[in-house]
Amino acid sequence: MNSTETIDERDSLSNGIPLSITEDTKISDMVDLLHIDVEPDTITVVSHGTEDSPCSRNVLRKQRNWEKTLAAKKNKRKEEKLRRKLNRAEQPGLHGDASQLSKRVVKAITKERLTEARVAGPKLCVDLSMTDCMSHKEISRLACQIRRLYGSNRKAARPFHLLLTDMREGSLLYRECVRMNDGFLSYVMDITDENCLDLFPGDSVIYLTPDAEQALETVDAEKVYILGGLVDESIQKKLSYLKARERNVSTARLPIDEYMVKKNNPKNFHSKILAINQVFDILLAFCETGSWTQAMQAGVPPGKGYMVVLDSALETQR
């Protein structure tokens, strides 16, 4: 035996066990110690006494249904929150305080009111069948008046159901409305190429024209009011009046003579011809106040040469 043999080697030889076998045994024991049995985790869903395998269709279906329910509850909470804001805005004292509402909420309130008006609001049509009698400049002015008319309706607490009739897509007026009015195609109103007198029964229509003999006394929600789409520069007298009489449609004028008088001015100018947006503003003011005096005072421009007669003076005249 060599002196270089280690103690372990001597022990191994003294026991009659070969060195290679001893080393293999040690390595095997170390591997056994390091060996860890890993069993895959399983998800078992017990439903009515049955077991589903991991990620089964039933588990996925239940998970999808749960996610849908969660999303529906989230949307419902958003809708309830918006509805409460709308209700608060409609309460007295909060209607005019738009500064406390976000732009998104104000836009939602406006859209909801205009949508409701299309169902239950009084109807007002703008008859655009007479654009052939107008110049390019006059049509551009008419497009501007339509924008102002719609803007007044958006701000109204009780808006009208607006209709633009005889509006042909591709016509000069249509192109001018799209060019001059931002979001014209998204206006909450009805636009049709049909004639206004063909859309409604004749006995439900009242054509508003300054040439009518009968003065308008009130605004009836069951009636359809029509404004002729002509601008001030169109010096064609009784055009809308004659059109209405040809179809046996009732006509009416704003009660300017009944609630206003001529006032002195250097040019001695007096005119009862108003733009369609000015007529509409007067109708809105009357619906909100119930007073023609207040409506005329707010809607008739001073440049027309008329001033409102006080209620006391009216009573004296009567």
Side-chain angles (χ1 to χ4, degrees):
M1 184 179 297
N2 295 326
S3 60
T4 58
E5 292 178 349
T6 64
I7 298 174
D8 291 338
E9 290 174 342
R10 290 197 298 270
D11 292 341
S12 176
L13 291 174
S14 64
N15 293 331
I17 301 174
L19 179 60
S20 60
I21 296 177
T22 303
E23 292 178 349
D24 290 344
T25 302
K26 290 181 178 181
I27 294 174
S28 178
D29 292 340
M30 293 176 64
V31 171
D32 291 338
L33 291 173
L34 294 174
H35 178 69
I36 301 174
D37 292 332
V38 180
E39 296 181 358
D41 294 334
T42 59
I43 300 175
T44 304
V45 179
V46 180
S47 177
H48 303 290
T50 63
E51 294 185 357
D52 295 325
S53 61
C55 298
S56 65
R57 293 182 180 178
N58 195 30
V59 173
L60 295 176
R61 177 179 58 81
K62 289 183 178 180
Q63 184 175 358
R64 286 195 299 267
N65 290 339
W66 177 78
E67 291 175 352
K68 289 181 180 178
T69 303
L70 201 63
K73 289 182 178 180
K74 186 176 181 181
N75 291 334
K76 187 175 181 180
R77 286 195 296 268
K78 288 183 179 180
E79 293 175 359
E80 288 294 335
K81 186 177 181 180
L82 178 59
R83 188 176 293 109
R84 287 194 297 269
K85 286 185 178 181
L86 296 178
N87 291 337
R88 288 196 299 268
E90 292 177 355
Q91 293 176 1
L94 292 179
H95 171 68
D97 193 5
S99 60
Q100 297 182 359
L101 302 175
S102 65
K103 291 183 179 180
R104 182 179 62 85
V105 174
V106 172
K107 187 176 181 179
I109 294 173
T110 301
K111 186 174 182 179
E112 182 175 341
R113 285 179 179 152
L114 293 175
T115 302
E116 291 177 354
R118 296 177 73 175
V119 178
K123 293 181 174 59
L124 184 133
C125 296
V126 180
D127 180 9
L128 303 174
S129 63
M130 295 169 281
T131 54
D132 294 340
C133 306
M134 301 164 61
S135 65
H136 192 152
K137 180 181 177 181
E138 291 170 341
I139 289 177
S140 296
R141 290 188 60 187
L142 178 58
C144 182
Q145 293 176 13
I146 291 174
R147 182 186 70 242
R148 293 176 178 174
L149 186 150
Y150 181 76
S152 295
N153 201 46
R154 288 183 70 253
K155 298 175 183 178
R158 292 183 293 274
F160 277 66
H161 174 195
L162 299 181
L163 301 95
L164 301 183
T165 61
D166 273 287
M167 171 69 90
R168 296 181 298 277
E169 185 175 354
S171 64
L172 177 59
L173 177 60
Y174 183 90
R175 296 196 303 271
E176 286 296 284
C177 285
V178 172
R179 181 181 67 85
M180 300 177 63
N181 306 341
D182 292 337
F184 173 75
L185 299 179
S186 300
Y187 281 3
V188 185
M189 65 190 330
D190 291 334
I191 301 176
T192 177
D193 58 0
E194 295 186 63
N195 188 274
C196 57
L197 300 180
D198 296 331
L199 292 175
F200 306 99
D203 57 353
S204 66
V205 173
I206 297 179
Y207 209 118
L208 298 179
T209 169
D211 300 307
E213 298 179 0
Q214 184 69 31
L216 185 66
E217 297 180 358
T218 187
V219 176
D220 188 351
E222 301 299 323
K223 297 293 185 179
V224 180
Y225 297 92
I226 299 177
L227 298 178
L230 289 171
V231 299
D232 294 349
E233 295 180 9
S234 297
I235 311 300
Q236 302 184 49
K237 294 183 178 180
K238 297 187 176 182
L239 188 61
S240 58
Y241 174 78
L242 294 175
K243 179 180 179 179
R245 298 311 301 165
E246 289 177 0
R247 298 289 296 270
N248 294 322
V249 171
S250 299
T251 59
R253 58 175 172 81
L254 292 177
I256 295 178
D257 291 337
E258 286 73 13
Y259 292 90
M260 305 187 78
V261 294
K262 295 180 180 180
K263 64 179 181 179
N264 296 326
N265 58 71
K267 296 182 179 180
N268 195 27
F269 174 78
H270 305 89
S271 176
K272 302 176 186 176
I273 299 176
L274 304 176
I276 58 173
N277 58 293
Q278 294 170 343
V279 176
F280 183 67
D281 287 343
I282 293 173
L283 295 179
L284 280 178
F286 175 77
C287 290
E288 293 179 0
T289 64
S291 168
W292 282 117
T293 300
Q294 296 182 37
M296 295 294 176
Q297 189 171 14
V300 177
K304 294 295 180 178
Y306 284 85
M307 64 180 182
V308 173
V309 179
L310 298 178
D311 292 337
S312 57
L314 288 175
E315 293 297 332
T316 301
Q317 293 178 1
R318 292 174 183 174

